[in-house]
Amino acid sequence: MSPAGGVLTAVLALPRTGATGLLALPSTGATAVLALPRSDAPPVTTPRDPAREAAKRELSKRMYHENDPSLAQRALNAFWDWVDKLFSAASAATPGGALGLVVILLAVVAVVAALWWRLGTPRRTPTSSAALFDERPRSAAEHRAAAEAHAAQGHWNQAVQERMRAIVRSLEERALLDPRPGRTADEAAAEASRTLPSHTDRLRTAARDFDDVTYGGRTADPRAYHRLTELDRDLERTKPELTSSAQTTALNTRQGAAS
């Protein structure tokens, strides 16, 4: 060691490490040689899979997920992401881009609305729970006139309905069916087939046409109306095959009319 103002050189011994370094002492200009720790052991490493599992366990703690969106919110976000991707893909494939796609969608909506307004609410299976006639009774001639008026205007649904009512009312007026409020088209066809067996299939078809346009949400066409018109005319020229029950019904009807 040299006196003050000189150069002080010292060697500081640290645990056996094999590493050395220079240390400058402040305000003296002296330097010291330091032996730094050194270990011959390899560095600590963790395999990839255990490290991944440890990270998953750590990140699965509740403290990291307190502000996560709810399941419903995640599902809604996923849905809107899907819609956005779908809209983007459709826009890219549509002439005019997004504007062209909007125009096409509006046109489709307009067509669907027009069909819904024209055809009404569709039903899977037609039902005939409602009565064939309304509250105001009319003669067969009146129903025929109403059917012809609807047919002249192209209102085939109403024309089919009125022609079927004319058929049933005509059979009631001929005492082949007993007048009964609340009768359905299917019931009228089944009852009329007993005295007019040669027209059973046509009567059933007529009842089905009536049910389809009245309760099934379908649209009639001129062919359906002409089938009922021809059936009405043929029934007018057909003589009934009266059974014992039909004869009794007819007799009771005539007696009630006479009284």
Side-chain angles (χ1 to χ4, degrees), residues 162-175:
E162 289 299 328
R163 182 59 72 168
M164 183 62 188
R165 291 169 180 144
I167 292 173
V168 176
R169 185 66 76 197
S170 175
L171 294 176
E172 291 178 351
E173 292 173 353
R174 294 170 60 191

Side-chain angles (χ1 to χ4, degrees), residues 1 6-12 22-34:
M1 178 179 299
V7 177
L8 175 64
T9 301
V11 178
L12 303 180
L22 295 179
L23 175 64
L25 300 179
S27 305
T28 62
T31 59
V33 180
L34 300 179

Side-chain angles (χ1 to χ4, degrees), residues 52-65:
R52 184 186 298 111
E53 295 299 327
K56 288 183 178 180
R57 287 194 299 270
E58 178 65 23
L59 294 177
S60 64
K61 293 181 180 179
R62 185 179 181 83
M63 57 183 293
Y64 297 109
H65 304 280

Side-chain angles (χ1 to χ4, degrees), residues 211-249:
D211 288 344
D212 286 345
V213 301
T214 306
Y215 315 109
R218 299 185 182 180
T219 303
D221 54 22
R223 291 183 303 172
Y225 176 71
H226 292 320
R227 282 198 303 267
L228 270 73
T229 302
E230 293 175 1
L231 175 61
D232 187 16
R233 293 170 181 170
D234 291 344
L235 291 177
E236 285 289 310
R237 298 190 294 265
T238 302
K239 294 182 179 181
E241 297 180 11
L242 296 179
T243 61
S244 58
S245 58
Q247 291 174 349
T248 302
T249 301

Side-chain angles (χ1 to χ4, degrees), residues 72-87:
Q73 185 63 38
R74 292 199 298 271
L76 186 61
N77 292 339
F79 170 76
W80 286 118
D81 290 342
W82 176 79
V83 171
D84 181 65
K85 292 179 181 178
L86 182 64
F87 188 82

Side-chain angles (χ1 to χ4, degrees), residues 18-224:
T20 60
L22 295 179
L23 175 64
L25 300 179
S27 305
T28 62
T31 59
V33 180
L34 300 179
L36 301 177
R38 188 184 68 179
S39 176
D40 294 333
V44 177
T45 59
T46 303
R48 179 179 301 175
D49 292 340
R52 184 186 298 111
E53 295 299 327
K56 288 183 178 180
R57 287 194 299 270
E58 178 65 23
L59 294 177
S60 64
K61 293 181 180 179
R62 185 179 181 83
M63 57 183 293
Y64 297 109
H65 304 280
E66 293 178 351
N67 297 323
D68 288 353
S70 63
L71 180 60
Q73 185 63 38
R74 292 199 298 271
L76 186 61
N77 292 339
F79 170 76
W80 286 118
D81 290 342
W82 176 79
V83 171
D84 181 65
K85 292 179 181 178
L86 182 64
F87 188 82
S88 300
S91 299
T94 303
L99 181 59
L101 179 61
V102 171
V103 173
I104 293 175
L105 291 177
L106 291 177
V108 171
V109 171
V111 171
V112 172
L115 291 175
W116 192 283
W117 175 80
R118 181 67 179 86
L119 302 178
T121 303
R123 297 185 181 181
R124 293 183 179 273
T125 55
T127 59
S128 55
S129 58
L132 180 64
F133 297 101
D134 53 20
E135 296 180 356
R136 187 176 69 87
R138 289 184 291 177
S139 66
E142 290 176 320
H143 285 296
R144 291 190 183 101
E148 292 296 331
H150 286 303
Q153 298 178 10
H155 301 163
W156 301 113
N157 281 15
Q158 295 85 342
V160 165
Q161 292 170 335
E162 289 299 328
R163 182 59 72 168
M164 183 62 188
R165 291 169 180 144
I167 292 173
V168 176
R169 185 66 76 197
S170 175
L171 294 176
E172 291 178 351
E173 292 173 353
R174 294 170 60 191
L176 300 180
L177 288 178
D178 59 310
R180 179 162 57 85
R183 176 187 280 119
T184 65
D186 290 333
E187 293 171 346
E191 294 172 12
S193 298
R194 299 169 188 168
T195 55
L196 301 167
S198 60
H199 297 286
T200 298
D201 292 338
R202 297 175 67 188
L203 285 167
R204 291 175 179 173
T205 301
R208 185 168 60 250
D209 289 338
F210 179 88
D211 288 344
D212 286 345
V213 301
T214 306
Y215 315 109
R218 299 185 182 180
T219 303
D221 54 22
R223 291 183 303 172

